[in-house]
């Protein structure tokens, strides 16, 4: 009788052990699934903000394009030989119709020097300048003249010789980077975030370069981020009536 009770006790303990193991496995699987879902949601949120910023830039109408080729415009700025290698930076906000105006732009030189084009308003995002009213994601857009040799300025005349036509084109590289500070792996000093935003998005491919890109900076901080880049060609046609 005692042997039967002892055997039953062993069976019960084994069953309890198996239940405990199964519960632990299920709990770990649930935690992993939750983390996977969260990472996917974070990635989608960052990608969507990058898409929104680049789409807003690329959807400029003819009037905006014309303005940007005129003195004071961002294309005009980059077409100036002295600025050809500089990088323009804009802090994107979905509700700001003039997000990509030069009055709200900053500049990064090839040597890493930074300045504001308007003197007071900075194009660099800070730790509290979110891209929308949700106050979650911060998105910054970098612009650089892609190939100065491929840009063109063509001057010609219409068939009746009464109107002079001038066409300008520029090749642009855009890079949007979005971060989600709330999901950083640890508390990060806001100054460190702002320092990363002031770094180039177009790191030179030169072997041995020590310049850190904004993406490398955020990776070092263990900050969730996503980058999206695109190249495009902008152009306009100015028609001027001859005197």
């Amino acid at each position: 009788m005692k042997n039967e009770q002892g055997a039953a006790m062993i069976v019960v303990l084994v069953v309890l052990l198996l239940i405990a193991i199964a519960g632990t496995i299920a709990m770990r699987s649930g935690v992993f699934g939750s983390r996977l879902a969260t990472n996917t949601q974070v990635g989608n949120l960052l990608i969507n903000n990058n898409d929104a910023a680049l789409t807003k830039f690329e959807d400029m109408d003819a009037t905006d394009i014309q303005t940007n080729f005129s003195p004071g415009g961002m294309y005009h700025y980059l077409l100036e030989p002295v600025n050809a290698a500089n990088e323009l930076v804009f802090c994107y906000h979905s509700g700001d119709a003039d997000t990509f105006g030069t009055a709200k732009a900053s500049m990064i030189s090839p040597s890493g020097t930074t300045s504001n084009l308007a003197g007071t308003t900075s194009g660099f995002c800070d730790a509290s300048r979110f891209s929308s009213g949700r106050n979650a994601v911060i998105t910054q857009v970098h612009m650089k003249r892609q190939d100065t040799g491929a840009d063109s300025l063509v001057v010609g005349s219409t068939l009746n010789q009464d109107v002079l036509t001038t066409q300008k084109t520029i090749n642009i590289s855009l890079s949007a980077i979005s971060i989600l500070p709330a999901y950083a792996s640890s508390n990060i000093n806001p100054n460190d975030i702002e320092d990363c935003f002031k770094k180039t998005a177009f790191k030179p491919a030169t072997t041995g370069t020590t310049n850190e890109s904004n993406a490398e900076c955020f990776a070092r901080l263990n900050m969730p981020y996503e980058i999206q880049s695109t190249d495009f060609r902008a152009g306009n046609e100015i028609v001027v009536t001859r005197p």
Side-chain angles (χ1 to χ4, degrees):
M1 188 69 177
K2 290 182 178 179
N3 290 338
E4 293 179 356
Q5 291 177 344
M9 181 65 70
I10 292 174
V11 171
V12 171
L13 291 175
V14 170
V15 171
L16 289 176
L17 178 62
L18 293 175
I19 292 174
I21 293 173
T24 301
I25 293 174
M27 183 177 66
R28 289 182 177 178
S29 177
V31 170
F32 175 77
S34 176
R35 288 179 178 175
L36 183 61
T38 299
N39 289 338
T40 301
Q41 291 171 350
V42 167
N44 288 338
L45 183 59
L46 295 174
I47 290 172
N48 289 340
N49 274 268
N50 282 341
D51 281 339
L54 294 179
T55 299
K56 186 169 185 177
F57 184 91
E58 294 170 355
D59 284 349
M60 290 182 183
D61 59 26
T63 301
D64 291 330
I65 294 174
Q66 177 70 36
T67 300
N68 285 320
F69 274 107
S70 302
M74 54 189 172
Y75 295 155
H76 185 276
Y77 173 86
L78 291 175
L79 285 170
E80 292 286 345
V82 69
N83 302 321
N86 290 343
E87 185 176 336
L88 289 181
V89 182
F90 307 86
C91 188
Y92 168 73
H93 192 282
S94 60
D96 186 357
D98 195 31
T99 289
F100 299 113
T102 51
K104 299 179 180 179
S106 289
M107 177 276 294
I108 303 176
S109 72
S111 64
T113 302
T114 62
S115 63
N116 303 329
L117 263 64
T120 55
T121 303
S122 174
F124 297 110
C125 293
D126 59 42
S128 61
R129 290 175 66 182
F130 297 96
S131 62
S132 68
R134 297 178 64 179
N135 292 341
V137 178
I138 305 174
T139 301
Q140 184 167 283
V141 178
H142 294 242
M143 179 200 308
K144 190 171 184 180
R145 192 173 171 185
Q146 182 185 9
D147 184 357
T148 58
D151 298 330
S152 62
L153 174 60
V154 180
V155 179
S157 299
T158 58
L159 292 177
N160 60 15
Q161 300 294 310
D162 292 332
V163 177
L164 180 66
T165 302
T166 303
Q167 183 178 5
K168 292 182 180 179
T169 60
I170 187 171
N171 292 274
I172 295 294
S173 290
L174 287 177
S175 177
I177 183 167
S178 292
I179 65 170
L180 194 60
Y183 280 80
S185 58
S186 59
N187 291 329
I188 298 176
N189 190 314
N191 291 333
D192 292 334
I193 294 176
E194 293 163 13
D195 286 343
C196 287
F197 275 129
K198 292 181 179 178
K199 296 183 181 294
T200 179
F202 305 101
K203 183 178 178 179
T206 306
T207 303
T209 180
T210 57
N211 293 336
E212 187 179 42
S213 69
N214 52 16
E216 292 171 334
C217 185
F218 285 122
R220 177 170 52 80
L221 295 180
N222 292 319
M223 172 73 70
Y225 74 92
E226 284 287 345
I227 291 178
Q228 187 169 337
S229 301
T230 183
D231 297 332
F232 73 100
R233 185 178 180 87
N236 75 336
E237 187 173 66
I238 306 170
V239 178
V240 181
T241 303
R242 285 182 174 176

